[in-house]
Amino acid sequence: MPDASPEQRVDEWDGDHRKGPAGASPDEIGVDPAELSDEDLTREMASLHRTRLDTLRHASDAALATHLRRTADLETEYLTRHPGREVDPQRLRDG
């Protein structure tokens, strides 16, 4: 799938095991976000966001795909834990 985006080339989860073209084992991806404490989850997300631009601009497709997947997994876990998160009114658009 050469014309696919990096996230389309990333490993897929079959419910029990990670599989797919990137070939990374779950241990190489990181700890399951559901197993992280709130503090560790926040720290992991902050680390990924700090390295986002550099990864986007300079990493290999496989590294970018792993970064995208890990970010999505961590953010999904955060939203699961905090469905009623505080929304800053200053961040809302009018209309």
Side-chain angles (χ1 to χ4, degrees), residues 2-77:
D3 292 334
S5 66
E7 64 270 17
Q8 290 170 320
R9 291 190 298 264
V10 75
D11 294 346
E12 295 298 325
W13 181 256
D14 72 4
D16 291 318
H17 304 91
R18 199 174 289 276
K19 62 180 183 176
S25 72
D27 294 336
E28 295 169 342
I29 302 298
V31 175
D32 180 351
E35 296 177 10
L36 295 171
S37 68
D38 283 347
E39 182 179 322
D40 289 338
L41 179 64
T42 301
R43 187 190 72 247
E44 289 290 316
M45 286 190 305
S47 175
L48 283 169
H49 285 272
R50 267 193 314 277
T51 61
R52 176 74 176 134
L53 183 59
D54 188 55
T55 303
L56 178 64
R57 294 183 63 210
H58 305 294
S60 68
D61 284 349
L64 177 58
T66 299
H67 192 277
L68 292 168
R69 177 56 57 94
R70 183 67 174 165
T71 300
D73 289 348
L74 291 167
E75 289 177 350
T76 298
E77 179 62 25

